[in-house]
Amino acid sequence: MFVTPSIDETRAFRWQDPRPRWGLVPTMGALHEGHLSLIRRARAETDRVAVTIYVNPTQFGAGEDLSSYPRPLARDLDLLAAEGVDLVFTPDDRTMYPTGFQTAVEVRELTQKLEGRSRPSHFAGVTLIVAKLFNILQPQVAYFGQKDAQQTVVLGRMVQDLNFNLSLVVCPTVRDERGLALSSRNAYLSPAEYEAALSLNQSLSGGAAAVREGLRDAGRLRQAIVDRLAAEPLARIDYVSVADLETLDEVTRIEGKTLVSLAVFIGTTRLIDNAILDPEGDPSS
Ligand code: AMP
């Protein structure tokens, strides 16, 4: 496994042999089974796998957890070596944002909704860094998690609009044995907060069951989820959304692919989760 913080060395390694198909898995490190599921999918579907580990400052807002975000690099590299990853790019801030940097990559409307309302500069940072990583690595396929549902929609738009010559693969959310979506931020939770955090998936599962049983009124679905979360004293709702999966606009009726997503503070930790409901197809999360 070749590990480097250098763009030139990354490019040289990636183009040593131009024939293999490359899969890219961008991460911020503190790897867990969710990340590893993306890597395994890339391993199965492409010839070479590149993983990037970079805690990108431009996607964190003021007052968010940029400085405290976990950075267990040695452990991450052990996990990646065990997965048979070929290339790990671990740049620093000066490499990604050298003096004089001033370019923006903006997806306009999709980024104003849901997460974008609570984290106004977040997606500008995500699209910028992912565009840079696509240009540096030039993968044929890039892998992202359904856990960050809006991110996959925004990046899909960016790939289409800017004609990136690659396909995106969205992988299912990996959960722990009690249903909590794996996240590097789960490490911040106390035992009591962990119990409270289970309400995110429980409220989504309850909502999905109601839709399976025939509920089509989005307002009632939203209210049922809010009621379940509100029963949890340690949880403070940021938003609960029932939206069209393509436009991310709120819907009144559940017809076709619907993204049910939520953001909830558990103590000071902000967690997100979602489910895609498709009353005309198989419900999945
Ligand atoms: P992050 O390191 O949080 O930026 O995540 C890197 C990638 O892993 C993103 O595409 C995430 O959507 C994905 N990811 C994070 N958590 C999970 C999870 N529990 N299941 C599946 N993918 C995940």
Side-chain angles (χ1 to χ4, degrees):
M1 184 171 82
F2 184 62
V3 183
T4 177
S6 147
I7 292 173
D8 287 345
E9 286 185 10
T10 296
R11 285 211 167 110
F13 189 86
R14 189 257 177 264
W15 289 107
Q16 235 171 12
D17 180 351
R19 286 167 302 181
R21 275 167 57 79
W22 279 82
L24 171 65
V25 182
T27 82
M28 298 202 299
L31 302 178
H32 51 64
E33 284 291 323
H35 300 110
L36 299 184
S37 73
L38 271 52
I39 291 162
R40 288 172 195 147
R41 177 88 173 260
R43 179 83 285 162
E45 294 181 353
T46 60
D47 306 312
R48 301 275 186 279
V49 176
V51 174
T52 63
I53 297 180
Y54 180 55
V55 182
N56 172 36
T58 62
Q59 71 191 68
F60 286 77
E64 292 185 357
D65 56 346
L66 173 62
S67 59
S68 58
Y69 199 85
R71 290 168 170 84
L73 183 61
R75 178 183 167 277
D76 286 349
L77 294 179
D78 285 347
L79 289 169
L80 296 178
E83 296 297 333
V85 167
D86 299 281
L87 169 60
V88 188
F89 178 48
T90 58
D92 62 16
D93 292 342
R94 274 196 319 177
T95 301
M96 296 314 268
Y97 300 107
T99 307
F101 189 95
Q102 52 186 294
T103 297
V105 177
E106 185 195 12
V107 172
R108 279 198 283 269
E109 286 166 31
L110 291 169
T111 57
Q112 304 306 305
K113 303 160 190 180
L114 306 176
E115 285 296 282
R117 219 172 277 147
S118 302
R119 308 181 70 193
S121 59
H122 172 65
F123 286 113
V126 170
T127 48
L128 176 59
I129 196 66
V130 172
K132 284 168 69 69
L133 294 174
F134 285 172
N135 283 330
I136 293 166
L137 275 303
Q138 293 186 252
Q140 278 87 354
V141 195
Y143 294 83
F144 294 90
Q146 181 61 47
K147 160 86 181 352
D148 298 279
Q150 186 177 10
Q151 172 170 278
T152 67
V153 176
V154 168
L155 292 177
R157 190 73 247 169
M158 179 188 82
V159 164
Q160 218 175 313
D161 289 354
L162 295 184
N163 310 97
F164 280 103
N165 190 19
L166 52 82
S167 40
L168 294 187
V169 172
V170 179
C171 303
T173 301
V174 176
R175 301 175 181 281
D176 73 8
E177 63 283 359
R178 298 187 66 195
L180 179 64
L182 297 186
S183 163
S184 307
R185 291 189 168 101
N186 293 351
Y188 302 147
L189 301 172
S190 70
E193 288 171 342
Y194 172 84
E195 294 295 325
L198 299 175
S199 62
L200 274 74
N201 180 48
Q202 286 164 359
S203 67
L204 288 169
S205 302
V211 170
R212 272 197 303 278
E213 284 154 24
L215 178 66
R216 294 291 177 268
D217 183 313
R220 283 180 54 201
L221 173 62
R222 205 177 291 116
Q223 194 57 48
I225 293 171
V226 166
D227 290 346
R228 170 66 191 90
L229 292 168
E232 202 55 65
L234 290 178
R236 182 167 59 81
I237 297 171
D238 185 0
Y239 66 81
V240 174
S241 158
V242 181
D244 178 274
L245 183 57
E246 273 179 36
T247 64
L248 304 182
D249 288 329
E250 296 298 307
V251 297
T252 52
R253 303 245 346 134
I254 299 153
E255 292 157 344
K257 285 199 173 176
T258 305
L259 174 65
V260 185
S261 62
L262 43 82
V264 179
F265 284 96
I266 304 289
T268 55
T269 304
R270 185 174 181 279
L271 299 178
I272 59 172
D273 201 350
N274 68 81
I276 295 172
L277 306 185
D278 185 0
E280 283 124 45
D282 274 344
S284 63
S285 66

